[in-house]
Amino acid sequence: MINLFDYKDSNGYNVMQAWADNMPMQSRDRGKLDNRIDILERAEPNLLPPGLLHNVRGYKHIMHLVAKGKPVTLCPMLCRGVVDFQSEFTFLFGATEKDRKYLPRNAPEIADKNRDDLRLHTQCRCKHERFNKRP
């Protein structure tokens, strides 16, 4: 089983929940996203389901999880670790994808900066919260 965390910014805000709260997601889209995250959480650390996570080009440690939604694809960005690289992932930044382009365009860069910050301040994270429990 994999442990999942959310990055908290310097103000203590859970960036993934803030992203989800500000996204015009239907409850069905939130459910799809939670379902994909549940699959990740239940996977064996060294045996992830094929196609679940995708590497982000140009960013060695950043991946995104894909949940097809309407009108955009939800692509929360995450990394392995940062405390235990074998059995945990940390969500770093919420992004979407439309026409094969990230929105915001600099999402991978932001996720990478958040990872760097997290490596220096491992306390800047919390257990991942499900998205469909939020209004």
Side-chain angles (χ1 to χ4, degrees):
M1 189 143 195
I2 293 176
N3 294 309
L4 300 176
F5 298 91
D6 291 339
Y7 172 74
K8 294 189 319 185
D9 67 14
S10 60
N11 294 320
Y13 292 112
N14 180 327
V15 298
M16 294 307 298
Q17 288 302 325
W19 170 72
D21 290 347
N22 290 316
M23 284 291 299
M25 282 192 272
Q26 301 292 325
S27 60
R28 182 181 69 201
D29 293 338
R30 287 179 189 270
K32 282 183 185 180
L33 183 55
D34 277 335
N35 183 49
R36 302 289 287 175
I37 293 170
D38 289 345
I39 292 168
L40 174 61
E41 191 172 32
R42 288 190 302 262
E44 292 296 321
N46 294 322
L47 196 61
L48 297 176
L52 182 64
L53 299 178
H54 303 271
N55 293 325
V56 173
R57 184 176 298 163
Y59 294 87
K60 181 178 177 182
H61 300 287
I62 307 297
M63 299 163 267
H64 72 255
L65 184 139
V66 174
K68 301 248 186 232
K70 293 190 179 184
V72 295
T73 299
L74 306 172
C75 298
M77 298 194 170
L78 65 161
C79 67
R80 279 198 177 266
V82 296
V83 175
D84 180 352
F85 287 86
Q86 294 300 313
S87 66
E88 66 186 33
F89 284 88
T90 302
F91 288 98
L92 300 167
F93 188 73
T96 59
E97 188 179 79
K98 188 171 184 178
D99 300 327
R100 306 190 129 234
K101 292 183 176 28
Y102 292 119
L103 300 172
R105 299 285 300 236
N106 64 340
E109 181 182 332
I110 295 169
D112 196 47
K113 284 180 182 175
N114 289 351
R115 180 182 177 272
D116 288 344
D117 181 52
L118 189 57
R119 290 177 61 213
L120 295 173
H121 307 100
T122 56
Q123 74 278 9
C124 291
R125 65 182 190 161
C126 58
K127 285 297 252 178
H128 173 71
E129 296 178 40
R130 293 181 61 84
F131 296 118
N132 67 1
K133 289 187 179 178
R134 310 233 358 145

